[in-house]
Amino acid sequence: MPAVYEGAVQDLIDEFGELPGIGPKSAQRMAFHILSADSASVERLIEALRAVKARVRFCETCGNIAESEQCAVCRDPRRDQRVICVVEEPKDVVAIERTREYRGLYHVLGGAIDPINGVGPDDLRIRELFARVGGGVEEVIIATDPDVVGEATAAYLTRMLRTMDVPVSWARRCV
């Protein structure tokens, strides 16, 4: 969609349009919502954006979202340290946690192997996974997305982890 508005309004529409899953019409709706919102609402949004950029990082252990060196899951002593569930993104951790069924640890890869888009094993947190598995892990559950790149990533991880003599299973998410 060509630029229709001028200056700050168009800049805001363009920035919203850069967000994943936001098309031109949604970006325009969001910009006009901001324009019509009261100043206090806009300030809260601005402060939330600043806070997330200032405080949120990735867990040094698993790669999940955290506000300290480790995420809440890795800090929880009640979690089963012998089992690691491998997922692509932090949002996948949230989906599995909602089930309240899994009590082990996680490892967030930060994506999936996708050669067409230039993402190889070295671009993901795979070396970190292998280092963790060498430290007493008894089972790895692979819960990558059920698409072509997720399945390819799962196959690659399975092949590599089997050389480490650790049981590997694939989870088919029901979330």
Side-chain angles (χ1 to χ4, degrees), residues 86-89 91-93 95-96 109 111-112 142-155 157 170-173 175:
V86 180
V87 297
E88 292 179 24
E89 301 291 344
K91 65 181 175 52
D92 302 320
V93 172
I96 295 170
L109 295 172
I142 300 176
T144 53
D145 291 346
D147 55 20
V148 174
V149 294
E151 297 289 335
T153 303
L157 291 174
W170 286 20
R172 291 294 157 237
R173 271 197 233 114
V175 290

Side-chain angles (χ1 to χ4, degrees), residues 10-168:
Q10 188 60 50
D11 292 345
L12 184 59
I13 292 169
D14 292 344
E15 288 303 317
F16 281 138
E18 293 293 318
L19 297 172
I22 304 296
K25 288 182 181 180
S26 292
Q28 184 178 3
R29 277 193 298 276
M30 292 168 68
F32 278 98
H33 174 78
I34 296 293
L35 283 171
S36 65
D38 63 86
S39 294
S41 295
V42 174
E43 286 301 321
R44 285 192 304 274
L45 175 61
I46 291 168
E47 193 49 44
L49 290 169
R50 281 193 181 116
V52 79
K53 287 306 290 177
R55 295 196 317 244
V56 177
R57 61 182 78 162
F58 294 102
C59 176
E60 291 180 0
T61 304
C62 74
N64 192 14
I65 292 174
E67 286 197 25
S68 61
E69 289 181 10
Q70 284 193 315
C71 69
V73 173
C74 288
R75 288 191 318 262
D76 186 346
R78 298 169 296 180
R79 302 301 289 225
D80 187 346
Q81 307 286 311
R82 300 166 299 162
V83 182
I84 295 178
C85 179
V86 180
V87 297
E88 292 179 24
E89 301 291 344
K91 65 181 175 52
D92 302 320
V93 172
V94 173
I96 295 170
E97 284 297 291
R98 271 195 212 120
T99 68
R100 298 184 185 270
E101 297 292 322
Y102 179 70
R103 296 300 306 154
L105 300 175
Y106 293 95
H107 189 84
V108 180
L109 295 172
I113 298 171
D114 186 0
I116 291 172
N117 289 308
V119 180
D122 291 338
D123 299 312
L124 304 174
R125 299 185 71 255
I126 293 175
R127 281 187 301 275
E128 293 87 344
L129 172 64
F130 296 156
R132 290 180 73 193
V133 168
V137 171
E138 295 177 10
E139 181 184 10
V140 174
I141 302 166
I142 300 176
T144 53
D145 291 346
D147 55 20
V148 174
V149 294
E151 297 289 335
T153 303
Y156 174 82
L157 291 174
T158 300
R159 196 168 55 252
M160 299 303 288
L161 289 165
R162 290 228 166 104
T163 66
M164 300 177 78
D165 201 32
V166 61
V168 177

